[in-house]
Amino acid sequence: MVVMHEELRHTVDYIWENHQRKTITDADHHAVHRALELLTAGELRAAVRGNDGTWRAVEWVKRAVLLHFRLTPSRPLEAGALHFYDKVPLQDGWGEKGVRVVPPGAVRHGAHICRGVVLMPCFVNIGAWVGAGTMVDTWATVGSCAQIGERCHISGGAGIGGVMEPIQATPVIIEDDVFIGARAEVAEGCVVRKGAVLAMGCFLSASTKVMDVTKGNAISHGEIPEGAVVVPGSIPAADGTHSTYALIIKKYRDESTDARTALNSLLR
Ligand SMILES: CC(C)(COP(=O)(O)OP(=O)(O)OC[C@H]1O[C@@H](n2cnc3c(N)ncnc32)[C@H](O)[C@@H]1OP(=O)(O)O)[C@@H](O)C(=O)NCCC(=O)NCCS
């Protein structure tokens, strides 16, 4: 049963409001730890459903979660006795490399992960490059030799295609400051230029038509221009018999886009 924890709420709110100027005490650690314990036990929730069916975030609980990242340094963790049978070993030694890896995030030998990268439980294949400050989110895959720039966000379940299969494929390039939305897929050597944004569920292959409605509905293939904000759509066939999946450049990055794609620095 979800119960109220008024005293804990006040403590968490106080730490949240003051954490940048106050000395963090054992009691602060304990409060945040307690909130996480209660979440684990199902006695707290980060969002609650109102009587009218609408859901509302419980802000202080979210604050406790964020404070955990602020208050807790990374440390070596074990994810049980995992065993594999493969030709390419997985990398380790992340602490020294300045990379945070959430289990069971896996990086194969031969991939380069720059300092400051955060790897959620994802898979990075051999030959890939992941630039400094990038986050590869849960169940995202970075294919062999794919090149990801700095400060990118590869969202949950997104797929960045590699060059291994099919054999003729060229690597996908994701330039700096790109946002790839959840479950999106970029394959076949496509290039996503600096700062571009792919909404969730965008699929980009070499054949996908990319229509820029800001530029007279110009159609291109294989490349997303710098700063473009791209959403899934379709283009009707000339004879009107059907429509074909396409990507639509709706606009170029603005404040709204920046706000919706910003990485939460507290989680880094
Ligand atoms: C791409 C995204 C950032 C756009 O945000 P934005 O810049 O604020 O865009 P807006 O809401 O102003 O929308 C601009 C236009 O694109 C359309 N659009 C935006 N997102 C869309 C989507 N996902 N699918 C279809 N159309 C979309 C809007 O309907 C709007 O169309 P209109 O001009 O015809 O009215 C946002 O839609 C998105 O996908 N966020 C990422 C979610 C995600 O993957 N999170 C990561 C979880 S791990």
Side-chain angles (χ1 to χ4, degrees), residues 226-265:
E226 191 170 320
V229 176
V230 183
V231 305
S234 61
I235 298 178
D239 64 5
T241 57
H242 63 282
S243 291
T244 304
Y245 176 84
L247 291 179
I248 313 295
I249 298 175
K250 291 290 269 185
K251 62 177 184 179
Y252 284 73
R253 246 182 200 271
D254 58 19
E255 280 178 8
S256 165
T257 321
D258 289 344
R260 290 177 70 182
T261 58
L263 284 169
N264 193 330
S265 58

Side-chain angles (χ1 to χ4, degrees), residues 23-246:
T23 305
I24 300 299
T25 63
D26 285 350
D28 297 336
H29 281 285
H30 180 76
V32 171
H33 181 69
R34 177 79 188 129
L36 265 65
E37 271 183 352
L38 291 169
L39 272 170
T40 306
E43 289 182 38
L44 278 182
R45 288 185 71 159
V48 289
R49 190 175 185 274
N51 290 337
D52 62 354
T54 56
W55 285 81
R56 173 179 69 75
V58 183
E59 285 188 21
W60 77 269
V61 174
K62 289 178 63 183
R63 286 174 184 160
V65 173
L66 289 169
L67 281 170
H68 175 77
F69 286 92
R70 165 75 174 81
L71 269 50
T72 312
S74 294
R75 64 197 185 286
L77 296 171
E78 289 177 15
L82 297 179
H83 296 272
F84 303 92
Y85 183 67
D86 189 21
K87 300 184 184 210
V88 185
L90 296 180
Q91 295 186 36
D92 54 15
W94 295 115
E96 299 86 75
K97 292 175 186 169
V99 173
R100 190 155 71 82
V101 183
V102 177
V107 180
R108 296 177 101 191
H109 189 62
H112 182 75
I113 312 294
C114 296
R115 290 189 90 75
V117 166
V118 178
L119 300 175
M120 297 303 280
C122 61
F123 181 75
V124 181
N125 211 343
I126 189 164
W129 172 284
V130 181
T134 282
M135 171 177 268
V136 185
D137 229 320
T138 304
W139 308 137
T141 52
V142 178
S144 55
C145 300
Q147 303 294 297
I148 314 282
E150 297 184 358
R151 297 172 305 278
C152 294
H153 186 177
I154 311 300
S155 300
I160 307 301
V163 294
M164 303 245 250
E165 290 163 349
I167 197 73
Q168 74 276 14
T170 51
V172 168
I173 308 293
I174 308 290
E175 294 185 347
D176 292 348
D177 302 302
V178 163
F179 178 91
I180 305 289
R183 307 282 164 187
E185 189 85 26
V186 184
E188 294 191 313
C190 290
V191 180
V192 182
R193 296 281 173 212
K194 185 175 166 57
V197 173
L198 264 62
M200 60 171 77
C202 285
F203 293 97
L204 177 63
S205 75
S207 303
T208 309
K209 286 181 179 151
V210 180
M211 186 165 92
D212 191 339
V213 299
T214 75
K215 293 185 178 150
N217 294 347
I219 290 184
S220 62
H221 294 87
E223 185 167 321
I224 302 298
E226 191 170 320
V229 176
V230 183
V231 305
S234 61
I235 298 178
D239 64 5
T241 57
H242 63 282
S243 291
T244 304
Y245 176 84

